[in-house]
Amino acid sequence: VQLQASGGGLVQAGGSLRLSCAASGRTVSIYHMGWFRQAPGKEREFVAAINWSGSTYYRGSVEGRFTISRDGTKNTVYLQMSSLKLEDTAVYHCAAGDDTEDNARWVRYRRGYNHWGQGTLVTVSS
């Protein structure tokens, strides 16, 4: 499975941005996809995820501001980010987890994902 993330850029605080992550290759193995982010000097952290049943998961600090969605026909997941804050600045990585019981249990953690795409930089300015 290959993942291609796009949509990052520079945006003012309070603005919006939409990230996309397109999956290709053996996509039939995937059951959930998610986004993680890593700010300079910090650990990579979970942001949001969606599974193929439509369930969504968010970290508390982005709930109500970010929306994750999926276009099954295009094997693409989107992260709509609104009301962006300075602390949202980070490299955002998309990831996909194969359909296993263990992955489903760990959907909010890195261990729940088998495949990772390159990051896309989101910079929020004041």
Side-chain angles (χ1 to χ4, degrees):
V1 174
Q2 294 78 45
L3 303 174
Q4 181 69 46
S6 61
L10 176 64
V11 62
Q12 284 193 320
S16 300
L17 209 57
R18 189 177 81 157
L19 305 182
S20 300
C21 179
S24 60
R26 195 173 180 274
T27 58
V28 292
S29 67
I30 298 173
Y31 185 65
H32 58 252
M33 290 179 66
W35 291 92
F36 289 71
R37 67 187 181 188
Q38 187 166 17
K42 294 189 176 182
E43 294 288 318
R44 189 174 298 189
E45 61 184 20
F46 170 78
V47 177
I50 185 168
N51 66 26
W52 278 196
S53 296
S55 297
T56 56
Y57 309 83
Y58 297 95
R59 74 177 296 108
S61 62
V62 308
E63 198 145 17
R65 300 190 296 122
F66 291 10
T67 302
I68 190 168
S69 60
R70 168 183 173 247
D71 183 336
T73 63
K74 299 180 181 178
N75 289 318
T76 299
V77 169
Y78 304 98
L79 185 67
Q80 178 67 47
M81 305 184 294
S82 303
S83 301
L84 282 161
K85 303 177 180 181
L86 297 179
E87 52 265 40
D88 294 319
T89 294
V91 176
Y92 284 70
H93 299 267
C94 69
D98 290 342
D99 188 6
T100 68
E101 187 176 331
D102 194 56
N103 279 349
R105 185 179 304 124
W106 296 101
V107 67
R108 295 176 182 270
Y109 300 88
R110 294 177 63 177
R111 66 175 287 177
Y113 297 82
N114 309 92
H115 315 283
W116 291 84
Q118 89 295 353
T120 185
L121 177 62
V122 173
T123 304
V124 183
S125 65
S126 59

Short mmCIF file of all heavy atoms in Angstrom, two decimals, residues 25-70:
data_model
loop_
_atom_site.label_atom_id
_atom_site.label_comp_id
_atom_site.label_asym_id
_atom_site.label_seq_id
_atom_site.Cartn_x
_atom_site.Cartn_y
_atom_site.Cartn_z
N GLY A 25 -2.32 0.66 -4.52
CA GLY A 25 -1.73 -0.65 -4.28
C GLY A 25 -2.76 -1.61 -3.73
O GLY A 25 -3.92 -1.60 -4.14
N ARG A 26 -2.36 -2.44 -2.76
CA ARG A 26 -3.24 -3.46 -2.22
C ARG A 26 -4.18 -2.87 -1.17
O ARG A 26 -4.13 -3.21 0.01
CB ARG A 26 -2.43 -4.60 -1.63
CG ARG A 26 -3.23 -5.87 -1.37
CD ARG A 26 -2.35 -7.03 -0.93
NE ARG A 26 -3.14 -8.23 -0.68
CZ ARG A 26 -3.73 -8.50 0.47
NH1 ARG A 26 -3.61 -7.67 1.49
NH2 ARG A 26 -4.44 -9.60 0.62
N THR A 27 -5.08 -2.00 -1.61
CA THR A 27 -5.95 -1.26 -0.69
C THR A 27 -7.03 -2.13 -0.06
O THR A 27 -7.64 -1.73 0.93
CB THR A 27 -6.59 -0.07 -1.40
OG1 THR A 27 -7.34 -0.55 -2.52
CG2 THR A 27 -5.53 0.92 -1.86
N VAL A 28 -7.26 -3.33 -0.60
CA VAL A 28 -8.31 -4.18 -0.04
C VAL A 28 -7.97 -4.63 1.37
O VAL A 28 -8.83 -5.03 2.14
CB VAL A 28 -8.56 -5.43 -0.92
CG1 VAL A 28 -9.17 -5.03 -2.23
CG2 VAL A 28 -7.28 -6.24 -1.11
N SER A 29 -6.70 -4.53 1.74
CA SER A 29 -6.28 -4.97 3.07
C SER A 29 -6.58 -3.93 4.14
O SER A 29 -6.56 -4.22 5.32
CB SER A 29 -4.78 -5.28 3.07
OG SER A 29 -4.03 -4.09 2.88
N ILE A 30 -6.88 -2.70 3.71
CA ILE A 30 -7.04 -1.59 4.66
C ILE A 30 -8.41 -1.63 5.32
O ILE A 30 -9.41 -1.87 4.67
CB ILE A 30 -6.85 -0.25 3.94
CG1 ILE A 30 -5.44 -0.13 3.37
CG2 ILE A 30 -7.13 0.92 4.90
CD1 ILE A 30 -5.26 1.09 2.50
N TYR A 31 -8.44 -1.33 6.63
CA TYR A 31 -9.72 -1.17 7.31
C TYR A 31 -9.89 0.23 7.92
O TYR A 31 -10.99 0.69 8.10
CB TYR A 31 -9.93 -2.21 8.40
CG TYR A 31 -11.30 -2.10 9.01
CD1 TYR A 31 -12.44 -2.36 8.26
CD2 TYR A 31 -11.46 -1.70 10.34
CE1 TYR A 31 -13.70 -2.23 8.80
CE2 TYR A 31 -12.73 -1.59 10.88
CZ TYR A 31 -13.84 -1.85 10.11
OH TYR A 31 -15.09 -1.73 10.65
N HIS A 32 -8.79 0.88 8.25
CA HIS A 32 -8.94 2.25 8.73
C HIS A 32 -7.74 3.08 8.28
O HIS A 32 -6.68 2.54 7.97
CB HIS A 32 -9.09 2.32 10.26
CG HIS A 32 -7.96 1.72 11.04
ND1 HIS A 32 -8.07 0.53 11.72
CD2 HIS A 32 -6.71 2.17 11.27
CE1 HIS A 32 -6.94 0.28 12.33
NE2 HIS A 32 -6.09 1.25 12.08
N MET A 33 -7.98 4.36 8.18
CA MET A 33 -6.94 5.33 7.84
C MET A 33 -6.99 6.47 8.83
O MET A 33 -8.06 6.79 9.36
CB MET A 33 -7.10 5.84 6.41
CG MET A 33 -6.77 4.77 5.37
SD MET A 33 -6.98 5.34 3.66
CE MET A 33 -5.69 6.58 3.52
N GLY A 34 -5.84 7.08 9.05
CA GLY A 34 -5.81 8.15 10.03
C GLY A 34 -4.73 9.17 9.73
O GLY A 34 -3.95 9.02 8.78
N TRP A 35 -4.74 10.19 10.55
CA TRP A 35 -3.74 11.26 10.46
C TRP A 35 -3.04 11.40 11.81
O TRP A 35 -3.69 11.37 12.86
CB TRP A 35 -4.41 12.59 10.11
CG TRP A 35 -4.94 12.65 8.72
CD1 TRP A 35 -6.20 12.34 8.30
CD2 TRP A 35 -4.22 13.05 7.55
NE1 TRP A 35 -6.31 12.52 6.95
CE2 TRP A 35 -5.11 12.96 6.46
CE3 TRP A 35 -2.92 13.49 7.32
CZ2 TRP A 35 -4.73 13.29 5.16
CZ3 TRP A 35 -2.55 13.81 6.02
CH2 TRP A 35 -3.44 13.72 4.96
N PHE A 36 -1.75 11.54 11.74
CA PHE A 36 -0.92 11.86 12.89
C PHE A 36 -0.16 13.14 12.56
O PHE A 36 -0.02 13.50 11.40
CB PHE A 36 0.07 10.72 13.17
CG PHE A 36 -0.57 9.47 13.72
CD1 PHE A 36 -1.35 8.66 12.91
CD2 PHE A 36 -0.41 9.13 15.04
CE1 PHE A 36 -1.95 7.51 13.41
CE2 PHE A 36 -0.99 7.97 15.56
CZ PHE A 36 -1.76 7.17 14.74
N ARG A 37 0.32 13.81 13.57
CA ARG A 37 1.11 15.01 13.33
C ARG A 37 2.29 15.06 14.28
O ARG A 37 2.26 14.49 15.37
CB ARG A 37 0.26 16.27 13.49
CG ARG A 37 -0.22 16.54 14.91
CD ARG A 37 -1.19 17.72 14.91
NE ARG A 37 -1.64 18.03 16.27
CZ ARG A 37 -2.60 18.91 16.54
NH1 ARG A 37 -3.22 19.57 15.57
NH2 ARG A 37 -2.95 19.13 17.80
N GLN A 38 3.32 15.76 13.81
CA GLN A 38 4.52 15.89 14.61
C GLN A 38 5.04 17.31 14.51
O GLN A 38 5.43 17.76 13.43
CB GLN A 38 5.59 14.90 14.16
CG GLN A 38 6.81 14.86 15.06
CD GLN A 38 7.69 13.66 14.80
OE1 GLN A 38 7.59 13.00 13.76
NE2 GLN A 38 8.55 13.33 15.75
N ALA A 39 5.01 18.00 15.62
CA ALA A 39 5.55 19.35 15.69
C ALA A 39 7.04 19.27 16.03
O ALA A 39 7.49 18.27 16.59
CB ALA A 39 4.80 20.15 16.76
N PRO A 40 7.80 20.31 15.71
CA PRO A 40 9.24 20.29 16.01
C PRO A 40 9.52 20.02 17.47
O PRO A 40 8.93 20.65 18.36
CB PRO A 40 9.68 21.71 15.61
CG PRO A 40 8.70 22.13 14.59
CD PRO A 40 7.39 21.53 15.01
N GLY A 41 10.38 19.05 17.72
CA GLY A 41 10.77 18.73 19.08
C GLY A 41 9.75 17.95 19.87
O GLY A 41 9.93 17.74 21.08
N LYS A 42 8.69 17.52 19.22
CA LYS A 42 7.64 16.78 19.93
C LYS A 42 7.44 15.39 19.33
O LYS A 42 7.86 15.11 18.21
CB LYS A 42 6.33 17.57 19.90
CG LYS A 42 6.38 18.87 20.66
CD LYS A 42 5.00 19.49 20.77
CE LYS A 42 5.03 20.76 21.62
NZ LYS A 42 3.68 21.36 21.78
N GLU A 43 6.75 14.56 20.10
CA GLU A 43 6.43 13.22 19.63
C GLU A 43 5.31 13.29 18.59
O GLU A 43 4.48 14.21 18.60
CB GLU A 43 5.97 12.35 20.80
CG GLU A 43 7.04 12.08 21.85
CD GLU A 43 8.10 11.12 21.32
OE1 GLU A 43 7.73 10.13 20.67
OE2 GLU A 43 9.30 11.38 21.56
N ARG A 44 5.28 12.28 17.72
CA ARG A 44 4.18 12.18 16.77
C ARG A 44 2.92 11.82 17.54
O ARG A 44 2.92 10.93 18.38
CB ARG A 44 4.49 11.13 15.71
CG ARG A 44 3.50 11.11 14.56
CD ARG A 44 3.93 10.16 13.46
NE ARG A 44 5.21 10.56 12.87
CZ ARG A 44 5.75 10.01 11.79
NH1 ARG A 44 5.09 9.02 11.18
NH2 ARG A 44 6.90 10.43 11.33
N GLU A 45 1.82 12.52 17.26
CA GLU A 45 0.59 12.30 18.00
C GLU A 45 -0.58 12.03 17.07
O GLU A 45 -0.63 12.53 15.94
CB GLU A 45 0.27 13.51 18.90
CG GLU A 45 0.04 14.81 18.16
CD GLU A 45 -0.19 16.00 19.09
OE1 GLU A 45 0.18 15.91 20.28
OE2 GLU A 45 -0.77 17.00 18.62
N PHE A 46 -1.53 11.29 17.58
CA PHE A 46 -2.74 10.95 16.85
C PHE A 46 -3.60 12.20 16.67
O PHE A 46 -3.72 13.01 17.60
CB PHE A 46 -3.51 9.88 17.61
CG PHE A 46 -4.89 9.62 17.09
CD1 PHE A 46 -5.08 8.86 15.94
CD2 PHE A 46 -5.99 10.14 17.74
CE1 PHE A 46 -6.36 8.62 15.46
CE2 PHE A 46 -7.27 9.90 17.27
CZ PHE A 46 -7.46 9.14 16.12
N VAL A 47 -4.21 12.34 15.49
CA VAL A 47 -5.11 13.46 15.23
C VAL A 47 -6.54 12.96 15.00
O VAL A 47 -7.47 13.37 15.68
CB VAL A 47 -4.64 14.28 14.02
CG1 VAL A 47 -5.63 15.41 13.73
CG2 VAL A 47 -3.25 14.84 14.26
N ALA A 48 -6.70 12.09 14.01
CA ALA A 48 -8.04 11.62 13.66
C ALA A 48 -7.93 10.34 12.85
O ALA A 48 -6.90 10.08 12.22
CB ALA A 48 -8.81 12.67 12.88
N ALA A 49 -9.01 9.56 12.87
CA ALA A 49 -9.04 8.33 12.08
C ALA A 49 -10.47 8.01 11.69
O ALA A 49 -11.42 8.48 12.32
CB ALA A 49 -8.43 7.16 12.86
N ILE A 50 -10.59 7.22 10.64
CA ILE A 50 -11.90 6.75 10.18
C ILE A 50 -11.75 5.31 9.73
O ILE A 50 -10.73 4.95 9.13
CB ILE A 50 -12.43 7.64 9.04
CG1 ILE A 50 -13.85 7.23 8.65
CG2 ILE A 50 -11.50 7.63 7.83
CD1 ILE A 50 -14.56 8.24 7.73
N ASN A 51 -12.75 4.48 10.08
CA ASN A 51 -12.69 3.11 9.59
C ASN A 51 -13.72 2.90 8.49
O ASN A 51 -14.55 3.79 8.22
CB ASN A 51 -12.83 2.10 10.72
CG ASN A 51 -14.20 2.11 11.38
OD1 ASN A 51 -15.21 2.48 10.78
ND2 ASN A 51 -14.25 1.66 12.61
N TRP A 52 -13.66 1.75 7.88
CA TRP A 52 -14.51 1.51 6.71
C TRP A 52 -15.97 1.26 7.08
O TRP A 52 -16.81 1.15 6.19
CB TRP A 52 -13.95 0.37 5.90
CG TRP A 52 -12.82 0.70 4.95
CD1 TRP A 52 -12.39 -0.08 3.91
CD2 TRP A 52 -11.98 1.86 4.92
NE1 TRP A 52 -11.35 0.53 3.25
CE2 TRP A 52 -11.06 1.72 3.85
CE3 TRP A 52 -11.89 3.03 5.68
CZ2 TRP A 52 -10.09 2.66 3.53
CZ3 TRP A 52 -10.93 3.98 5.38
CH2 TRP A 52 -10.05 3.80 4.32
N SER A 53 -16.26 1.20 8.37
CA SER A 53 -17.65 1.16 8.82
C SER A 53 -18.20 2.55 9.04
O SER A 53 -19.38 2.71 9.36
CB SER A 53 -17.75 0.37 10.13
OG SER A 53 -17.39 -0.97 9.93
N GLY A 54 -17.33 3.55 8.94
CA GLY A 54 -17.75 4.94 9.07
C GLY A 54 -17.50 5.53 10.44
O GLY A 54 -17.77 6.72 10.66
N SER A 55 -16.99 4.74 11.36
CA SER A 55 -16.69 5.29 12.69
C SER A 55 -15.50 6.25 12.61
O SER A 55 -14.53 5.97 11.89
CB SER A 55 -16.37 4.17 13.67
OG SER A 55 -17.49 3.34 13.85
N THR A 56 -15.60 7.33 13.36
CA THR A 56 -14.53 8.32 13.37
C THR A 56 -13.98 8.50 14.78
O THR A 56 -14.68 8.29 15.78
CB THR A 56 -15.00 9.68 12.83
OG1 THR A 56 -16.13 10.12 13.60
CG2 THR A 56 -15.40 9.57 11.37
N TYR A 57 -12.72 8.92 14.85
CA TYR A 57 -12.03 9.09 16.12
C TYR A 57 -11.21 10.37 16.04
O TYR A 57 -10.60 10.65 15.01
CB TYR A 57 -11.08 7.90 16.38
CG TYR A 57 -11.73 6.55 16.23
CD1 TYR A 57 -11.88 5.96 14.98
CD2 TYR A 57 -12.23 5.86 17.34
CE1 TYR A 57 -12.49 4.72 14.83
CE2 TYR A 57 -12.84 4.63 17.20
CZ TYR A 57 -12.97 4.07 15.94
OH TYR A 57 -13.58 2.85 15.79
N TYR A 58 -11.21 11.14 17.12
CA TYR A 58 -10.47 12.40 17.15
C TYR A 58 -9.73 12.56 18.47
O TYR A 58 -10.18 12.08 19.50
CB TYR A 58 -11.43 13.59 17.00
CG TYR A 58 -12.18 13.64 15.69
CD1 TYR A 58 -13.46 13.10 15.58
CD2 TYR A 58 -11.62 14.24 14.57
CE1 TYR A 58 -14.15 13.13 14.38
CE2 TYR A 58 -12.31 14.29 13.36
CZ TYR A 58 -13.57 13.73 13.29
OH TYR A 58 -14.26 13.77 12.09
N ARG A 59 -8.61 13.28 18.42
CA ARG A 59 -8.01 13.68 19.68
C ARG A 59 -8.82 14.85 20.19
O ARG A 59 -9.41 15.61 19.41
CB ARG A 59 -6.54 14.05 19.51
CG ARG A 59 -6.24 15.34 18.84
CD ARG A 59 -4.73 15.61 18.80
NE ARG A 59 -4.16 15.78 20.12
CZ ARG A 59 -3.37 14.88 20.71
NH1 ARG A 59 -3.08 13.75 20.10
NH2 ARG A 59 -2.87 15.09 21.91
N GLY A 60 -8.84 15.02 21.50
CA GLY A 60 -9.72 15.99 22.11
C GLY A 60 -9.50 17.41 21.63
O GLY A 60 -10.46 18.17 21.44
N SER A 61 -8.27 17.79 21.40
CA SER A 61 -7.96 19.19 21.07
C SER A 61 -8.41 19.60 19.66
O SER A 61 -8.44 20.78 19.35
CB SER A 61 -6.47 19.45 21.22
OG SER A 61 -5.72 18.65 20.32
N VAL A 62 -8.78 18.63 18.82
CA VAL A 62 -9.21 18.98 17.46
C VAL A 62 -10.69 18.69 17.26
O VAL A 62 -11.27 19.09 16.23
CB VAL A 62 -8.39 18.25 16.37
CG1 VAL A 62 -6.90 18.44 16.60
CG2 VAL A 62 -8.76 16.77 16.29
N GLU A 63 -11.32 18.00 18.20
CA GLU A 63 -12.73 17.66 18.04
C GLU A 63 -13.56 18.93 17.93
O GLU A 63 -13.38 19.88 18.69
CB GLU A 63 -13.21 16.81 19.22
CG GLU A 63 -14.49 16.07 18.96
CD GLU A 63 -14.50 14.71 19.64
OE1 GLU A 63 -13.68 14.49 20.54
OE2 GLU A 63 -15.33 13.88 19.25
N GLY A 64 -14.46 18.94 16.95
CA GLY A 64 -15.27 20.13 16.70
C GLY A 64 -14.63 21.10 15.73
O GLY A 64 -15.31 21.98 15.20
N ARG A 65 -13.36 20.95 15.48
CA ARG A 65 -12.66 21.82 14.52
C ARG A 65 -12.22 21.05 13.27
O ARG A 65 -12.20 21.60 12.17
CB ARG A 65 -11.42 22.45 15.17
CG ARG A 65 -11.72 23.31 16.38
CD ARG A 65 -10.48 24.08 16.82
NE ARG A 65 -9.40 23.20 17.25
CZ ARG A 65 -8.19 23.19 16.70
NH1 ARG A 65 -7.91 24.00 15.70
NH2 ARG A 65 -7.25 22.38 17.17
N PHE A 66 -11.86 19.80 13.45
CA PHE A 66 -11.39 18.95 12.34
C PHE A 66 -12.45 17.91 12.03
O PHE A 66 -13.14 17.41 12.92
CB PHE A 66 -10.10 18.23 12.71
CG PHE A 66 -8.88 19.10 12.85
CD1 PHE A 66 -8.95 20.48 12.87
CD2 PHE A 66 -7.63 18.51 12.96
CE1 PHE A 66 -7.84 21.27 13.00
CE2 PHE A 66 -6.49 19.29 13.08
CZ PHE A 66 -6.59 20.67 13.11
N THR A 67 -12.56 17.57 10.74
CA THR A 67 -13.47 16.54 10.31
C THR A 67 -12.75 15.59 9.36
O THR A 67 -12.18 16.05 8.36
CB THR A 67 -14.70 17.12 9.60
OG1 THR A 67 -15.38 18.02 10.48
CG2 THR A 67 -15.67 16.02 9.19
N ILE A 68 -12.79 14.31 9.67
CA ILE A 68 -12.19 13.33 8.79
C ILE A 68 -13.30 12.65 8.00
O ILE A 68 -14.38 12.39 8.53
CB ILE A 68 -11.35 12.29 9.57
CG1 ILE A 68 -10.53 11.42 8.61
CG2 ILE A 68 -12.21 11.45 10.50
CD1 ILE A 68 -9.47 10.58 9.32
N SER A 69 -13.04 12.43 6.72
CA SER A 69 -14.04 11.79 5.87
C SER A 69 -13.33 10.92 4.85
O SER A 69 -12.11 10.97 4.70
CB SER A 69 -14.91 12.83 5.17
OG SER A 69 -14.12 13.67 4.35
N ARG A 70 -14.14 10.13 4.15
CA ARG A 70 -13.55 9.16 3.23
C ARG A 70 -14.34 9.10 1.94
O ARG A 70 -15.57 9.15 1.96
CB ARG A 70 -13.53 7.80 3.91
CG ARG A 70 -13.21 6.62 3.01
CD ARG A 70 -13.30 5.33 3.78
NE ARG A 70 -13.15 4.20 2.86
CZ ARG A 70 -14.10 3.33 2.59
NH1 ARG A 70 -15.28 3.46 3.16
NH2 ARG A 70 -13.90 2.35 1.75
#
